[in-house]
Amino acid sequence: MNYKLFFLAVLALIVTSCDKTDDAIELSHDASLLTVIAAAPGSGDNNPATATRLSMAMDETKISVTWKAGDKVQPYFVQGPTILKGTEITLTDEDLSVHKKNATLAIAVPDYINTANPYTLYCVHGSSSQIDGRKILVSFSYTPFFPFSGGFGSVSPDTYYTPIAASAEIHPGAPTAVLAFNYLGAMQIICFKNAAVAEVAYTEMELIQVNPADAAGFYAYKNGEGAPRYDLISKEVIYYGVSQGDISGSIWSDDVRKFSRFVLLTGNTMPATRLKVKIDGVQKESINATSASAVPHQAGNAYCVYALWNGVDLQLTDKDFTSVRK
């Protein structure tokens, strides 16, 4: 029996004013210094900030994103053939708006940027990034699914990769310019319940296509090529030769653990997919699969798969973890 990936969230950004509010972003500049009010992606409903940067209750239909003290923003400057990496900014409590949807950034413009002429500002948060020739490359981790902290009723991937980026054309003498952060990929979530009578150890968790020949819905790690990186300038995806890494841990009997990662999307529909996990050292694949999606997954959305291990079979289920009938 096939089960569809559960659609959890759509993140929308609303820009409506010039104040340091939670509805808008404003960028004003004066020669070598930019004062940026940058909005994090969010639902636009002005809900009060939560304790963590990214939070979501499992039964809700949205993800709420807020800035927090300690968040780092990396600026880049592009003017003609010149591409420069600016000084990384670390946010403080004083930089944040009341609901922490906006943050005020003071960005120093490098000397080699001529502020009498237009240039483009790029900013990255939530992932490492670097200049490579004429590219500004943002990395995607692709360690197989980071485990969440917290209990089953909440999600707190506060320290994990949540890559967002923004860009704006800066013109000399312009009073304001808008800089809006958006997600570069989609969030994949696995909720895994151990229904066996004993604690189990897990490693090597991954989503795999039922038919490898189908067009992929996201850029997966490739042996021999490495992990994907996204070029902010050309909007292209390239592969970089890094190792994938691994995770390991254990799940108590009758306990649920959550895992997530952000992935770059290809623009194709998601094909039928199984879950593969090594349980107590033995490779297991789910006996059933998700249905192929009707439309491509969207950046800024979260998609969840519920999985059940009963001591014999690995199954994909609905969110109540009801065992499938054979």
Side-chain angles (χ1 to χ4, degrees):
M1 182 180 298
N2 291 335
Y3 292 88
K4 293 183 179 179
L5 289 174
F6 289 91
F7 170 82
L8 294 183
V10 178
L11 303 179
L13 181 64
I14 301 176
V15 179
T16 59
S17 73
C18 297
D19 251 339
K20 188 182 177 183
T21 69
D22 290 312
D23 300 316
I25 48 183
E26 174 188 349
L27 186 155
S28 60
H29 60 282
D30 178 14
S32 62
L33 183 66
L34 295 175
T35 301
V36 178
I37 299 178
S43 61
D45 58 3
N46 288 333
N47 282 341
T50 55
T52 57
R53 182 185 175 277
L54 176 62
S55 66
M56 179 180 64
M58 293 304 301
D59 292 332
E60 291 183 358
T61 58
K62 63 186 177 183
I63 293 176
S64 177
V65 184
T66 58
W67 295 111
K68 63 173 293 188
D71 278 347
K72 298 181 183 297
V73 177
Q74 177 62 61
Y76 293 89
F77 303 83
V78 178
Q79 189 176 57
T82 302
I83 303 178
L84 297 175
K85 188 174 186 177
T87 302
E88 185 180 66
I89 301 158
T90 302
L91 299 182
T92 66
D93 286 326
E94 289 73 21
D95 299 327
L96 308 180
S97 63
V98 174
H99 294 306
K100 302 184 180 180
K101 297 298 292 185
N102 291 351
T104 301
L105 314 178
I107 302 179
V109 181
D111 292 339
Y112 289 102
I113 296 298
N114 183 357
T115 57
N117 295 319
Y119 61 92
T120 303
L121 170 68
Y122 293 90
C123 288
V124 179
H125 168 74
S127 180
S128 60
S129 57
Q130 65 184 66
I131 296 173
D132 185 355
R134 290 287 304 166
K135 298 178 174 61
I136 301 174
L137 298 179
V138 180
S139 301
F140 274 67
S141 169
Y142 280 82
T143 297
F145 288 97
F146 288 111
F148 282 177
S149 60
F152 176 57
S154 64
V155 176
S156 302
D158 187 40
T159 59
Y160 304 125
Y161 283 80
T162 53
I164 57 177
S167 65
E169 296 294 324
I170 310 301
H171 298 278
T176 60
V178 172
L179 184 67
F181 278 83
N182 289 293
Y183 277 118
L184 297 181
M187 187 179 190
Q188 294 178 339
I189 303 173
I190 294 174
C191 292
F192 189 104
K193 181 174 183 178
N194 176 23
V197 296
E199 180 180 2
V200 297
Y202 63 84
T203 56
E204 300 179 18
M205 185 174 294
E206 185 57 86
L207 294 173
I208 59 172
Q209 295 181 191
V210 173
N211 182 0
D214 288 341
F218 64 94
Y219 291 93
Y221 182 89
K222 293 182 180 180
N223 291 327
E225 295 186 49
R229 292 188 175 185
Y230 181 76
D231 178 21
L232 294 178
I233 298 176
S234 69
K235 315 302 182 186
E236 296 176 339
V237 177
I238 67 170
Y239 274 81
Y240 183 78
V242 295
S243 59
Q244 187 180 24
D246 200 2
I247 62 169
S248 62
S250 61
I251 307 176
W252 296 338
S253 176
D254 203 36
D255 194 15
V256 175
R257 293 290 303 274
K258 298 176 297 294
F259 307 85
S260 77
R261 67 181 177 190
F262 275 86
V263 296
L264 279 167
L265 301 170
T266 63
N268 302 319
T269 56
M270 186 71 69
T273 303
R274 297 183 188 275
L275 176 63
K276 181 174 72 172
V277 185
K278 186 172 285 187
I279 299 175
D280 289 336
V282 179
Q283 192 71 70
K284 299 290 183 179
E285 289 186 15
S286 58
I287 61 175
N288 55 343
T290 66
S291 298
S293 64
V295 296
H297 288 181
Q298 300 297 310
N301 292 358
Y303 301 88
C304 188
V305 171
Y306 295 86
L308 176 72
W309 168 249
N310 60 14
V312 178
D313 296 319
L314 179 63
Q315 309 173 7
L316 301 183
T317 72
D318 289 324
K319 63 181 181 180
D320 58 2
F321 297 107
T322 301
S323 180
V324 299
R325 296 180 180 179
K326 295 185 179 180

